[in-house]
Every structure is written in structure tokens, then in C-alpha cells.
Amino acid sequence: MQLIPMPLGPINPDVENLAVGAVLFGSLYFFVRRMILRVNGVLQERATILEGVTGGPAADLRREAERIRAERADLLAQARQEAAQTRQRAREEGAALIAAAREDAVRERDEMFTAGRAALATERASTEAALRAQVPDLATVLASRIVGEPLPTASASGR
């Protein structure tokens, strides 16, 4: 049986074919609609996740975390710079203390050398004076040994 009782050719379908086509189309429509709803749900979840990553509260938290990380990096850089300056000052102070200690040691050494030389000079002069006083007696004793006879000492002869 035909839908329209006129001879239209291939445009005029049979009612049975049309009913089968409508049933198949309906079932296919409901199946595809159900699948499209699931796909739309997945797409919405994806959009929500992406919004959380690129925008929204999660993005605000990420920006806040980046700001805090940058502040922390700045604080660490400042602390490292201050530590380097402190180490440099300590090196300079240590070098100054070492130089001052060396200067003190050199000064003390020079003072000790000067005092030692002065003490040696006075001891030498006193020893030399004592030896000069004994030279005539020693010369007489030496001459007595050479001659073989005892000679009168210079202090005994009245010189």
C-alpha cells in the first residue's frame, strides 16, 4: 500500500517501509541522543577541569602560589646576598686582625732585637774592660812561661 494514492514514482513510499524506517529512525535517534548526552557530560566535566586549571578558584590559588614562590625566591636571594656580604666583611676583618697581629709581632721582635743588642753591647764592653785590666798580668804570666823564669807582675812592679 502506498501513502499517497497517486503515481509519483520513487517519491511515493510504501507504508510498511515508512513504518519500519520510522521505527528504526526513532530507535537510532534515542540511542544517539543518549550517547550525545553522555558525550556532552564528559565535555562539560572536561570544561570544568580546564576552567579549574586555567581559570576559576584553582587558577587563583595557582597565581597566589606563584606569587608566594616569587616572594620566597626574592627573600632567599636577599638572604644569600646578605650572607655573602657578611662573609666578605668577616674576611676583611680577619685580614685586618692578622695584619695588626703581624705588625705587633714585628714591632715586638724589633724591640727584642734592639734590647738584646744593647744588652750584648754592654756585656761586651764590661767583659772587654775586665779583660783589659787583666792583660798586663796575663802578658807577664805568658812571658814567664816563654822565658822560663818567673817575672815580676806589672801590679807588683808598680806600673
Side-chain angles (χ1 to χ4, degrees):
M1 174 168 144
Q2 296 210 347
L3 188 60
I4 301 176
M6 298 167 85
L8 295 175
I11 299 177
N12 198 4
D14 291 332
V15 174
E16 301 87 20
N17 290 339
L18 193 59
V20 169
V23 168
L24 288 176
F25 178 78
S27 63
L28 185 65
Y29 172 78
F30 287 117
F31 177 74
V32 169
R33 180 173 181 243
R34 188 172 169 201
M35 294 304 287
I36 287 177
L37 289 177
R38 283 188 180 176
V39 169
N40 280 341
V42 169
L43 289 176
Q44 279 185 339
E45 281 184 47
R46 180 176 176 253
T48 304
I49 291 171
L50 287 176
E51 179 182 322
V53 171
T54 59
D60 292 340
L61 288 174
R62 183 179 316 108
R63 283 190 291 274
E64 181 70 17
E66 290 294 329
R67 184 187 61 78
I68 291 171
R69 185 178 305 144
E71 287 176 4
R72 187 177 136 256
D74 289 342
L75 285 173
L76 284 174
Q78 289 174 357
R80 286 185 184 121
Q81 185 179 11
E82 289 175 9
Q85 289 174 351
T86 303
R87 281 191 304 269
Q88 184 63 30
R89 279 194 306 268
R91 283 187 194 118
E92 291 171 358
E93 289 175 5
L97 289 174
I98 289 171
R102 281 188 181 146
E103 288 175 9
D104 289 343
V106 167
R107 189 180 70 252
E108 287 180 24
R109 181 196 65 188
D110 291 343
E111 289 173 0
M112 290 173 75
F113 280 151
T114 304
R117 285 185 181 141
L120 283 175
T122 51
E123 192 172 323
R124 181 178 177 193
S126 66
T127 306
E128 193 175 310
L131 285 176
R132 283 191 194 276
Q134 295 177 359
V135 167
D137 293 333
L138 291 174
T140 305
V141 170
L142 186 61
S144 298
R145 285 187 186 168
I146 291 174
V147 173
E149 293 181 18
L151 297 174
T153 61
S155 59
S157 63
R159 280 190 188 171

